[in-house]
Amino acid sequence: MLVIPGRKAKDVCDRHLGPTRRDLLRVGGSAFLGMTLGQALQMQQASAASESAGSGWGRAKSVIMVYLQGGPSHIDLWDPKENVPDKVKSAFGTIHSKVPGIDLTENLPKLAQVTDKLSLIRSMSYSPNGLFNHTAAIYQMHTGYTADKVSPSGQLEPPSPKDYPNFGSNIIKLLPPDVPMLPFVMMPRPLQESNVVNKSGTAGFLGRAYDPYYLFPPGDDMDMNKMERINITDLKLRPEISTNRLGRRARLRDLINAGMPALDQAVDKYDMDKYYETAMNLIASGRARDAFDLSKESDKTREMYGRNTFGQSLLLARRLIDAGTRVVEVIWPKVANSDNHSWDHHVGLTERMKNQSAPMLDSGLSSLIADMDDRGMLEDTLVVAVGEFGRSPQRGVSTSGNGNSADGRDHWPYCYTACLAGAGIKRGSVYGESDQTASSPLSDPVHPTELLATIYHAMGIDPATIVYNHLNQPRELVKAEAVTGLFG
């Protein structure tokens, strides 16, 4: 299927505006109007680039997704409200940040000092429609699509090769790294709600060659020293094998494969060549091995990020991006629906957030943004911190069928906050506004699919780009437009 690009139009009657990329014209074949497929794709790229000039198009070479699975309470972190009923008002005080008008709660004193480097979207919003529980909402946030099988509770079936790809898998397929480096790394634990593990954390129908490199150190979620036990033995070259010998093995393999077309055809769907080539390049270069070595960082830097799983994962993310990794996803190091430092604060919100979750987020995220800015890395790296939803404005009420204590908030997808920095994102800015009780957007609502479209846009990828699923059916990366107003 070929998409003929054009400018935005309100509908097909606005002829003076030209056709939309998505809705107006799709034709089969590659010789429409005398164009080859290659020429048509070049035209599509040129059109998208010209449309997006000056609005953040292609500013990012890499992206770090800081995924706050569990759904943090926006009211208790970065969208505090004054003069509201007691059941709505946060137990935490409001503090001024470095940017006048961008107030946060006292939970984020360090982040308050770097608000001049970031933007907050205070109008993230969507209607649940079966997405009230974590896994279903996580799937939407990562793929841009709603899973086929969603029960009334929101739980999903396990990951499947038929799933839509994680956004990072789409990016590395369309924009492979230009150095011998792991293209996509996910750490320090999988996406998870209850026994549904890693749904939307795979390449799905793109094939396993585009799966992330999973860095899940041993230890449970309460183990704050997991990142001290990183095991990357699969990236090491055995002492008895030199790089020259490895190269000879590769050439021999290619020679054998050239005479075995039947075997090649049999394993083609498993992308064995891509696996082998990537593995060989990584092992031979040693680049990834060096990037994973956190001991090369000073104690001061490691303390600044936080000596815990989340802080050290963010520090490692910076090192990986610096070494050439295209996409890093740091997942909040606690299963989505759980206790302690999970963001799923149905009970004990005040104590758990104050003493466990908020300090880790504050130190880690503020350090990542400041450190990358000091190194000039925010120029071409997009940092996004977001969860699958926020928490209910009123404490002690049930919105998803869960029980909630008087000091707990339930799931709330209608309004929440995301934090973005780098790659042309406006600095010291707030996009959108929530209402008096942070229940719904007052202006400029942003759907999770639009946030994904913005990530693709920043990477220089048209969100309407077509990929093909397991049935060879054309599918757009995401059915949404980028929020170009976020860029300055």
Side-chain angles (χ1 to χ4, degrees), residues 353-386:
M353 183 174 281
K354 179 181 179 180
N355 298 322
Q356 294 180 303
S357 49
M360 289 195 292
L361 174 65
D362 189 40
S363 294
L365 186 58
S366 62
S367 297
L368 176 68
I369 292 171
D371 193 12
M372 293 191 71
D373 192 43
D374 289 344
R375 296 168 183 269
M377 295 175 66
L378 277 189
E379 287 297 315
D380 55 13
T381 303
L382 178 64
V383 178
V384 179
V386 68

Side-chain angles (χ1 to χ4, degrees), residues 38-111:
Q39 290 169 331
L41 292 174
Q42 288 175 356
M43 186 185 81
Q44 183 173 2
Q45 184 176 11
S47 173
S50 64
E51 279 185 64
S52 309
S55 59
W57 172 263
R59 286 289 301 270
K61 293 181 180 177
S62 53
V63 59
I64 297 176
M65 169 65 83
V66 183
Y67 195 67
L68 308 176
Q69 70 171 3
S73 172
H74 50 300
I75 295 175
D76 296 295
L77 291 172
W78 28 39
D79 193 8
K81 298 296 181 180
E82 300 293 333
N83 303 315
V84 292
D86 288 343
K87 281 193 173 183
V88 174
K89 188 176 177 63
S90 174
F92 305 107
T94 298
I95 60 173
H96 298 309
S97 79
K98 198 169 185 179
V99 178
I102 303 183
D103 294 343
L104 307 176
T105 72
E106 60 184 312
N107 281 318
L108 302 175
K110 295 177 181 177
L111 198 68

